[in-house]
Amino acid sequence: MSKTQRHIYLDNAATTPTAPEVVDVMLPFLQTKIGNPGSFHSFGKEAKDAIDMARSTVAAFIKARPDEITFTGSGTESDSLAVLGYARMHAQHGKHIVTMSIEHHAVLEPMQFLAKKEGFELTIVP
């Protein structure tokens, strides 16, 4: 790229730069505090405590209970959990889902799963 050219990033729906404040908080967990929160040793306990604190902070911010907060590793995982959870929670009101053919695969695939495996009717509008 020449000195007169510059890139402009317009795909913030896919990913965004990490806020410097988040980097500051996360850096120790990327460098030295590397415990597995599922482990019972001190490194794991420290990681689990940090996750529990983050969960409590998010819950307080949105006026939820900590046990209602689920952290995911990606937007795809989040979309899938949202679609599956909502559909299953409201299945007693009807099992017909309507979506569009241009829907993102992270939303469309869990809907297709519900149709194939859990008896939901799926209408895909072109």
Side-chain angles (χ1 to χ4, degrees), residues 5-77:
Q5 292 178 324
R6 63 184 189 145
H7 288 143
I8 299 173
Y9 186 76
L10 299 174
D11 196 12
N12 283 299
T15 186
T16 56
T18 304
E21 303 88 345
V22 174
V23 172
D24 291 344
V25 171
M26 287 301 302
L27 203 53
F29 297 97
L30 300 171
Q31 294 179 329
T32 58
K33 297 181 177 187
I34 55 171
N36 176 345
S39 298
F40 295 108
H41 48 64
S42 61
F43 296 104
K45 173 127 176 47
E46 184 175 29
K48 183 175 184 332
D49 289 347
I51 291 171
D52 289 344
M53 178 184 277
R55 183 173 282 112
S56 293
T57 299
V58 170
F61 184 74
I62 64 170
K63 296 180 178 33
R65 295 187 322 267
D67 66 332
E68 294 176 302
I69 304 301
T70 299
F71 294 124
T72 62
S74 68
T76 297
E77 186 180 4

Side-chain angles (χ1 to χ4, degrees), residues 36-116:
N36 176 345
S39 298
F40 295 108
H41 48 64
S42 61
F43 296 104
K45 173 127 176 47
E46 184 175 29
K48 183 175 184 332
D49 289 347
I51 291 171
D52 289 344
M53 178 184 277
R55 183 173 282 112
S56 293
T57 299
V58 170
F61 184 74
I62 64 170
K63 296 180 178 33
R65 295 187 322 267
D67 66 332
E68 294 176 302
I69 304 301
T70 299
F71 294 124
T72 62
S74 68
T76 297
E77 186 180 4
S78 298
D79 289 345
S80 183
L81 283 173
V83 169
L84 295 173
Y86 188 87
R88 289 169 177 159
M89 189 167 91
H90 296 284
Q92 74 273 14
H93 300 296
K95 296 178 83 172
H96 185 193
I97 302 169
V98 179
T99 190
M100 297 173 23
S101 61
I102 61 169
E103 184 57 81
H104 192 278
H105 69 88
V107 173
L108 188 56
E109 288 178 12
M111 290 179 178
Q112 291 169 330
F113 174 86
L114 289 165
K116 288 179 186 173

